[in-house]
Amino acid sequence: MNKTPPIIFVPASKLSIAPTNVRKRSDPEADAELKASIAAKGIIQNLIGIPVARKKGEYHITAGGRRLTQIHTLIEDGVLGPDYPVAVMVLADKNDATEVSLIENFIRLNMSPAEECRAFQAIIDGEKKTPADVAKHFGLTERFVLGRLRLAGLADSIFDALAAGEITLDVAKAYASISDTARQAAVFEEMDSGYYSTNLSEIRRRLVSGFYRGSDPKALLVGRDVYIAAGGRIDSDLFSDAANENWIDSDIIDRLAAERMETAAQAVRAQDGFGEVRIICETRIPYVETMALDELEGEPAEITPEEEERQRAIEVELEAIAEEADEDGYSDEEISRIEALEAEHRALNEKPPFISAEQKEKALAYLVIGSDGQPRLHERLFIVPEPGPEVEEPEAEPGADGIQTEEVEQEPVEDGPSLAPISQKLAEDLAIMKTEILRLHVASDPHFALDLGTFFMVDAALGRSYGHPSELRAAAPYSRVPGFESDTPAGEAWTELDAGLDRSWTETGNLVERYDAFCGLDEGARAAWLGWAIARTLHAVPVGGAGADLIDHVGRKLDIQEHVWWRPTARRYFDRVSKGRILAHFGEVGGLELSNRYAASKKHDLAASAEKLFAGQLIVEAEVKDRALNWLPDEMRFGRAEHPDCEGSEPDGDGLPVEPADGAVSEDADDGFPEAA
């Protein structure tokens, strides 16, 4: 049976750290906590040491070096006396020193965060101490102690999960960002075992859904003091700064913001003389608000003689810098100067247009909330819409079942000639090329892209993501045709758009630094990234596929002129369809005579002639050439059976052509052109 080593009390001045002590590094913050604990309660656990050879009464400490270091520090500070007694377990065999040191430092179990929370709570409640007292005794910050106490007040289900190790400390902190335990428990139950159950941002988002943050532009507009005076409540977040505190009563914020904006709108009406001023209690105007309005275009601002002279001076200086530059290029100072001069030159050329007093009387202006919380006039002006005429609805005749019905005269739809369907591979290729066009236009309209992206996100969050032609995580979907190489104008324009994005923030360092650098970009650069990110998620959906209707609807809302961005060539289309289909297409634009003219051609020659015809390079009648230049296969149209320039197409509410009322369009619908005889 092993004999327990003796424990003796040794003056601290006779103790030193042994070279065999395995711990070589420490942590300043942890050392400060240990020092505070020793100063408050002394040494609770004995040290372990071995006698120093030929120095009676002195010992090398092999386990407990951190405690000994803090004792010596407290002696130097005058907190403890030089002969402060320290309990030391003395090892008989110095060969055990390293092993015992390793055991003492390695085989240990720290308290769990849940145990720390309950311990702090017990000290404060049982010993009637304040959080500041506990922080001082343990060498901690008062904020740390308050944070642990906040965790101790978590909903029971969440605290039990923390104690059992089922959730991490960070997840628990996310739930503790609000003090409402009922809401904590409800969100925890809702997210338990779900895909986003450990996503801190999603947890906080759901907890504060319906709340406002203190840094929200609408909250900044209202003001903290005004909000509290109106009875608003604030739930402070111990784990973030004051800008992220939760303003709970959203109805009070909305009411106060609307009142403040209306007051600002009245001042704008009186000062600027606009025909109408509408308030939008957001930082931007929703797309649906302006989609039916005509934008007001002012007169280009004239450049004054002084501004012209300044422009010439800028150009002269830029030329001088270019001439003086050495072979190694521009210096940093020269680059900065060039950028400043170019920016000044652009500002002189891009002066805001002049709006006359007469135009202002007919102008519709929008007042929005700036990012700093101040009301600001939106830069775009619109024409005040005229009220439409009132239309009396016709009385419907009673039907057989007594219900009023309205007879709608339907025109018969003539069936076109039957054609063999195109291959699935071609259908998918055409879908990709059509989506290229859509992606480019979505990326070029950031406001539209924002609304489209918001819809995808919200609809998917509600569990209705089936059929979405998008994966709104900004990840490009898997290509239906691996290795597909685009040679279309839309594909080339996308490459140019991609190359023009401001990537200066991507090489700035770690995640936080990159984020801050991105936020530092101007609004236009960030908006371009938004359009790019949303546009690249769009799926290539063949006609009839899930989501194809929305792809076509979005294309119509953007009023895309497909024939401008895509033309059928032999490689893209004609080499990959039957000879009969090509001749049918000839007939669609030129009638039976043109179709018969090429009927004897071989397939390869016919495809080459078709490429020339539909590119406007074949010698044909002027009206046939016009039809050919506007022709596209139905798979490349955004759901329109007729070309907008052709007679007979009726505009919908957006001024875009619509399909026939019954939607029945045959595969060989004539696109608004005369049928082949």
Side-chain angles (χ1 to χ4, degrees):
M1 184 174 183
N2 294 331
K3 185 178 180 180
T4 303
I7 296 179
I8 62 175
F9 284 88
V10 181
S13 60
K14 299 291 186 179
L15 301 176
S16 60
I17 298 176
T20 54
N21 192 309
V22 297
R23 186 183 291 278
K24 304 300 182 184
R25 295 183 181 180
S26 188
D27 177 78
E29 186 174 337
D31 289 344
E33 296 171 4
L34 179 59
K35 179 181 178 182
S37 175
I38 294 173
K41 296 295 184 180
I43 291 289
I44 298 174
Q45 182 183 1
N46 64 270
L47 280 57
I48 300 175
I50 57 175
V52 179
R54 294 185 298 277
K55 290 186 179 181
K56 186 177 180 179
E58 295 189 17
Y59 296 86
H60 282 321
I61 299 304
T62 62
R66 286 182 62 239
R67 280 165 280 165
L68 179 60
T69 299
Q70 298 311 316
I71 291 173
H72 286 161
T73 302
L74 289 168
I75 292 174
E76 293 174 0
D77 294 343
V79 178
L80 300 177
D83 294 328
Y84 178 77
V86 181
V88 180
M89 177 186 288
V90 182
L91 299 177
D93 188 351
K94 65 178 182 180
N95 294 325
D96 293 337
T98 301
E99 183 177 354
V100 170
S101 177
L102 178 62
I103 291 172
E104 207 242 13
N105 284 283
F106 186 74
I107 304 176
R108 60 169 57 191
L109 178 63
N110 292 328
M111 292 177 64
S112 70
E115 291 169 332
E116 293 177 2
C117 295
R118 291 299 190 222
F120 284 134
Q121 189 177 46
I123 292 173
I124 290 174
D125 294 343
E127 301 181 20
K128 306 302 181 183
K129 293 184 180 295
T130 66
D133 294 334
V134 174
K136 182 179 180 181
H137 283 188
F138 288 92
L140 303 169
T141 64
E142 185 176 357
R143 184 180 179 84
F144 179 88
V145 177
L146 289 171
R148 287 297 189 263
L149 293 174
R150 181 70 172 259
L151 292 176
L154 281 168
D156 291 340
S157 57
I158 303 174
F159 190 87
D160 292 343
L162 175 64
E166 296 172 0
I167 61 174
T168 65
L169 177 61
D170 287 337
V171 171
K173 286 182 177 180
Y175 280 105
S177 61
I178 67 170
S179 59
D180 187 342
T181 55
R183 190 175 183 88
Q184 290 174 359
V187 173
F188 182 71
E189 182 179 358
E190 176 187 346
M191 298 187 67
D192 187 30
S193 302
Y195 181 77
Y196 292 102
S197 61
T198 59
N199 186 301
L200 307 183
S201 298
E202 180 65 14
I203 292 171
R204 292 191 177 96
R205 188 192 68 78
R206 296 200 188 188
L207 286 170
V208 301
S209 178
F211 296 176
Y212 285 96
R213 291 289 195 183
S215 59
D216 188 279
K218 191 177 288 188
L220 296 175
L221 171 71
V222 172
R224 195 175 192 273
D225 294 340
V226 174
Y227 168 70
I228 294 175
R233 296 167 297 162
I234 291 179
D235 188 0
S236 298
D237 183 351
L238 285 173
F239 304 108
S240 55
D241 54 30
N244 289 326
E245 62 187 5
N246 299 317
W247 294 22
I248 300 173
D249 299 298
S250 57
D251 55 334
I252 294 178
I253 298 175
D254 293 338
R255 174 175 58 81
L256 294 175
E259 292 173 358
R260 175 80 186 278
M261 290 293 286
E262 181 57 39
T263 301
Q266 291 176 3
V268 171
R269 293 188 188 102
Q271 176 180 340
D272 296 329
F274 292 115
E276 183 178 349
V277 178
R278 296 180 185 177
I279 62 172
I280 301 292
C281 288
E282 303 292 341
T283 56
R284 53 175 298 275
I285 305 175
Y287 174 75
V288 294
E289 180 76 22
T290 60
M291 59 184 295
L293 299 177
D294 294 324
E295 190 166 354
L296 179 66
E297 297 182 0
E299 295 294 330
E302 295 183 358
I303 298 179
T304 64
E306 293 78 9
E307 291 171 336
E308 288 183 353
E309 184 177 351
R310 177 55 187 158
Q311 282 184 327
R312 287 193 293 270
I314 291 173
E315 293 165 0
V316 170
E317 185 173 352
L318 287 172
E319 292 175 359
I321 294 174
E323 292 175 356
E324 295 173 2
D326 56 31
E327 297 179 354
D328 296 330
Y330 297 112
S331 65
D332 293 340
E333 293 78 7
E334 289 173 332
I335 292 175
S336 298
R337 181 57 179 165
I338 290 172
E339 291 176 350
L341 291 172
E342 290 178 342
E344 185 182 356
H345 196 279
R346 283 195 303 271
L348 292 172
N349 280 331
E350 298 172 1
K351 295 173 64 177
F354 172 73
I355 306 295
S356 66
E358 293 77 10
Q359 286 179 305
K360 284 186 176 182
E361 292 177 358
K362 301 178 181 179
L364 166 60
Y366 282 93
L367 197 67
V368 297
I369 304 175
S371 58
D372 59 352
Q374 296 300 312
R376 69 174 183 87
L377 200 62
H378 197 271
E379 59 271 11
R380 298 173 66 193
L381 297 176
F382 300 88
I383 299 174
V384 176
E386 296 181 0
E390 296 184 1
V391 180
E392 297 183 3
E393 297 186 0
E395 296 183 2
E397 297 294 333
D401 54 1
I403 300 176
Q404 298 288 332
T405 61
E406 182 179 348
E407 291 188 6
V408 179
E409 183 178 352
Q410 296 185 354
E411 298 181 359
V413 179
E414 297 182 3
D415 293 333
S418 177
L419 292 177
I422 63 176
S423 68
Q424 181 66 21
K425 176 70 162 54
L426 175 57
E428 291 176 347
D429 280 359
L430 296 176
I432 291 175
M433 290 183 278
K434 184 172 76 171
T435 309
E436 283 179 339
I437 302 172
L438 181 62
R439 286 172 179 162
L440 177 64
H441 283 74
V442 171
S444 301
D445 192 338
H447 290 291
F448 187 92
L450 180 61
D451 287 324
L452 179 63
T454 302
F455 167 76
F456 285 144
M457 289 187 286
V458 174
D459 207 45
L462 296 177
R464 298 193 295 269
S465 60
Y466 176 75
H468 276 196
S470 170
E471 304 286 349
L472 190 58
R473 285 177 293 278
Y478 175 77
S479 176
R480 290 177 174 269
V481 184
F484 177 83
E485 296 182 2
S486 174
D487 62 346
T488 66
E492 294 170 0
W494 174 268
T495 301
E496 183 178 351
L497 182 149
D498 182 271
L501 294 170
D502 187 348
R503 287 180 165 79
S504 60
W505 58 277
T506 61
E507 303 295 334
T508 53
N510 61 32
L511 180 63
V512 173
E513 293 168 342
R514 293 198 305 275
Y515 169 75
D516 289 340
F518 179 80
C519 293
L521 298 177
D522 61 50
E523 183 178 358
R526 298 198 310 274
W529 276 109
L530 171 65
W532 174 89
I534 292 177
R536 70 191 299 266
T537 69
L538 293 171
H539 285 272
V541 185
V543 174
D549 290 343
L550 183 56
I551 286 287
D552 289 342
H553 182 66
V554 171
R556 292 195 298 272
K557 285 179 73 71
L558 286 170
D559 198 17
I560 297 174
Q561 303 299 311
E562 305 97 317
H563 66 286
V564 174
W565 291 96
W566 188 88
R567 298 307 306 146
T569 63
R571 180 174 176 270
R572 295 174 194 160
Y573 185 76
F574 295 114
D575 280 343
R576 306 169 69 178
V577 298
S578 66
K579 179 179 177 180
R581 177 173 285 273
I582 299 176
L583 291 174
H585 295 333
F586 272 64
E588 289 171 24
V589 299
L592 183 60
E593 179 183 354
L594 183 61
S595 178
N596 288 341
R597 191 185 309 171
Y598 291 87
S601 302
K602 294 182 179 180
K603 170 65 185 305
H604 176 76
D605 296 333
L606 181 62
S609 298
E611 178 173 337
K612 294 180 180 179
L613 170 65
F614 291 96
Q617 299 172 357
L618 207 62
I619 299 177
V620 291
E621 296 80 2
E623 60 180 2
V624 174
K625 181 177 181 179
D626 289 341
R627 295 189 196 117
L629 288 173
N630 287 284
W631 179 90
L632 288 177
D634 290 343
E635 291 80 3
M636 284 302 297
R637 293 197 182 280
F638 290 108
R640 285 180 284 210
E642 298 156 345
H643 191 275
D645 294 332
C646 300
E647 295 181 0
S649 60
E650 298 180 357
D652 62 8
D654 294 326
L656 302 175
V658 296
E659 295 179 354
D662 60 1
V665 182
S666 70
E667 177 182 329
D668 291 282
D670 61 8
D671 286 331
F673 305 129
E675 288 186 353

